[in-house]
Amino acid sequence: MESSTTAPPTDGPGGPPAGAPAPGGENRKARIARYVALFAMPFLMVTMMYASYVGTMHAPAPKDTPVAVVGSGQTARAVVSALDALPGGPVEARLVATTGEALGLIEDREIAGALEIPAGGEGEAVIHTASAAGASQASTVQQLLAPVAAENQWQITTREAAPLPDGDMSGTAVLFAGMGMMLAGYVPLSILTMSMPFLLTLRRFVPLLIGWAAVTSTIIWTILGPVVGAVDGHYPQFLGVGMLTIGAVGMTQLLFTKLVGPLAVLFGMLLWVCFGMPASNLALPIHTMPGFFQWLHGILPLPAAGESLRALLYFDGRGAGGYLLTLGVWLVAAFALSLLKERRSGHLIPAAPPVTDISTPLPALAGGPVRSKGTRYLAAIAFPLCILVAVVGTMSASMHKPQVHDMPVVVVAASAQQAEQVADGLEPKLGAMLDIRTGTSAEAAKDRIMEQDVVGAYVLPSAPGGPATLYTSSAAGSSQQTTLRAVFQQVAAGQQTPLELTDVKPLTDDDTMGSNSMYVAMSWIMAGFLIMSVLRGGAPELRRTRQFLPKLAGWAVGMSLWLWFLFDVLIGAVDGHALELIGLGAVTVFSVSLATGVLTRTLGLFAVIPAMAVLLLAGVPASGGGLSVYMVPDVFRTLQDVLPLPAAVDAVRTLVYFDGHGLGRDLLTIALWGAAGLVLHFVVDLWLAHREKKTGTPLPPGSGASDTGKAATGQRSPEKSAPAPGPALETAPAPTA
């Protein structure tokens, strides 16, 4: 006989009765609050990072850049006045009497460069720069000083006061070293907070931090030195700066953890990454950043670490003392405040499990099953170490020594025979650098540039004595345009032919670096993989695809709309194409979240590492968004046609600049990632259902492929009987340059 009892309403498929406590004692109201917090975490992380990056780097302009004019008399004073009177105030010039005085100021980094005027007011002017103080700063100085020399009809020679070594031609070794030290300092704290909070007392944490700082500093030096070849020797300097930096960041992160618990990851990300990168003077000159970041340059650890290493590696330690003192102040102040907090409120960490030793069973990573103490120790070491190696290794290996190779260029002449003859003449010297093609139509060559089939076109003179023309596009990549112009200026000079430079598709005033497409695409990718990492750690009860899809779809649309509003309306870096960009962003976020979800559902939060490595780290050099893909190792050109980040970067670029040429190919790449992820999600559903049937009971929330051993046979030890609640996310994403 059927029962007449009516089943109570439930809170979603398979959920507890509405309003009743969920498993673990959580009621509906508490669950809603938890989900709000879960979605707020990645929202804040993505917003903080890319608001700061796009806001400061989309159109940097020099302001009060300190330079010197070497000389005396009326001519020298006139040059100083002319530099100070430049529109917008890009230069702050001073007059010095001798070249030696100017070089000393450059080595002390008190000035960014110097213009040595010719004696008597005629002849050759020398521009002194120091690429070791920043490759982009040296380029900026040349751009500021060269026009003044040209106005006086002086020939210009550039001399390096402090050149970069051959192994670090891009000047990024100190950048990636500083990034690695930030990661080593703040990532481990979020794991220890939930898996082993008893280690966060000063008497236990300080010796661990000292050992960790020594080990990770050595690893960073090993990657950048013997492995990659960007640094030659200087291990003691790396060890000293690394231990001081990691100690300062780690101790400050401990203080944040004692104050706000797992939310400390947001404070750390804001200071070390979002504020630290624009203020660092490691990616772009600090004198092109807003005044607030110029002030932060003197007080934050990332600038202090990078400038200390720069001084020790390239300037014989000149100027390192002040930056090392900054790191020491952070370390001592954080230790003193942490000690005060411990003595006033005990060892309590907000929102952390109240345990005092290793015997209490806890998960190794948030949202996962309870683990043995050995597994927890291993995870606490391996997780941040893998992130550190992935970030420093991938980025430095791909960008430390850019070398032009196989850059496609068209040589255009009146006849095919003439074009072939010129191409054959260029091949012996430029064959390794350029993929030289030929043509007979300048208009057809310009169309190929617009379609991004070639990088440039060298059009031979149409009449004897006439100029040659080089067509390029800064919108397709400013680094490759600069390289190509330098190459063909030498070619034209060798042919004794005047050269006209034409930018067929220039960058806009809101995107002077050409980096907007990369940062917009990276924000979508990061939003996609973070949401699944957060849900895996903070909502382990979500185990079926049907539970994920509506949440991911809403997140994708909402984040894409917000990011467009942020970049376009609030910052003003992206103009127009609103509907197209919102739609493209939603598809990208949704596809990446589906692909990431396959990993997080099977590998747990350790999936953050391969997801970040594939979707972000490998995608940056493969995208051509910063450095041309023809200037990085060949493997990244292969990945350009496979990974979602390069597809998203190219899609944004082609929407904004190239009238949608190639957009279908990019959308197909992104959609294939989403489709593959969706299919594999249903496979994971079947696998989980099979495991539940095999064990005879539903798997505990948070179980995944990493739950091996006894769980697979239906036998579980008491220590692995249930998952413990965890924070939304145990680690911040790695920063990218």
Side-chain angles (χ1 to χ4, degrees), residues 282-356:
L282 302 177
L284 291 176
I286 190 60
H287 297 289
T288 64
M289 296 292 103
F292 173 65
F293 291 94
Q294 295 185 33
W295 174 73
L296 290 178
H297 177 74
I299 64 174
L300 287 182
L302 179 55
E307 296 286 15
S308 297
L309 285 172
R310 181 176 276 161
L312 293 168
L313 292 177
Y314 306 130
F315 295 97
D316 298 323
R318 295 175 66 160
Y323 294 109
L324 294 174
L325 179 61
T326 298
L327 295 172
V329 169
W330 276 90
L331 178 59
V332 173
F335 176 83
L337 292 173
S338 296
L339 181 61
L340 179 63
K341 178 66 171 61
E342 265 193 22
R343 291 187 173 180
R344 297 190 66 175
S345 59
H347 305 319
L348 180 66
I349 302 293
V355 300
T356 58

Side-chain angles (χ1 to χ4, degrees), residues 548-563:
F548 285 113
L549 286 181
K551 296 177 177 62
L552 298 183
W555 168 258
V557 173
M559 279 303 293
S560 182
L561 180 61
W562 161 248
L563 289 170

Side-chain angles (χ1 to χ4, degrees), residues 607-633:
V608 169
I609 297 167
M612 182 179 64
V614 172
L615 298 174
L616 269 178
L617 299 180
V620 170
S623 70
L627 195 63
S628 172
V629 74
Y630 300 106
M631 301 169 72
V632 296

Side-chain angles (χ1 to χ4, degrees), residues 544-617:
R544 294 292 182 266
T545 301
R546 66 176 183 272
Q547 296 172 301
F548 285 113
L549 286 181
K551 296 177 177 62
L552 298 183
W555 168 258
V557 173
M559 279 303 293
S560 182
L561 180 61
W562 161 248
L563 289 170
W564 166 81
F565 183 79
L566 175 67
F567 298 145
D568 189 333
V569 179
L570 298 183
I571 296 177
V574 178
D575 186 20
H577 308 281
L579 293 180
E580 295 94 333
L581 289 173
I582 293 170
L584 176 62
V587 171
T588 304
V589 174
F590 187 62
S591 297
V592 170
S593 65
L594 286 174
T596 305
V598 176
L599 297 175
T600 58
R601 294 180 68 194
T602 54
L603 301 178
L605 271 185
F606 250 100
V608 169
I609 297 167
M612 182 179 64
V614 172
L615 298 174
L616 269 178
L617 299 180

Side-chain angles (χ1 to χ4, degrees), residues 360-449:
T360 303
L362 289 171
L365 295 172
V370 173
R371 292 300 191 186
S372 66
K373 60 182 181 181
T375 302
R376 280 183 279 158
Y377 278 123
L378 178 62
I381 297 172
F383 191 80
L385 207 56
C386 288
I387 290 179
L388 172 65
V389 171
V391 171
V392 178
T394 303
M395 302 305 287
S396 61
S398 62
M399 297 185 180
H400 78 287
K401 194 174 183 179
Q403 293 181 322
V404 180
H405 55 91
D406 302 319
M407 189 176 286
V409 179
V410 180
V411 173
V412 179
S415 67
Q417 183 179 8
Q418 183 185 8
E420 290 288 349
Q421 288 176 346
V422 174
D424 290 342
L426 296 176
E427 186 70 29
K429 292 184 178 180
L430 302 177
M433 296 175 59
L434 304 180
D435 176 8
I436 303 175
R437 309 169 188 184
T438 60
T440 57
S441 170
E443 291 302 317
K446 287 192 286 186
D447 289 340
R448 295 180 69 179
I449 295 174

Side-chain angles (χ1 to χ4, degrees), residues 254-274:
L254 175 67
L255 174 63
F256 293 158
T257 303
K258 288 180 176 294
L259 294 174
V260 296
L263 290 178
V265 68
L266 291 177
F267 289 86
M269 185 176 178
L270 181 66
L271 279 180
W272 318 136
V273 180
C274 300

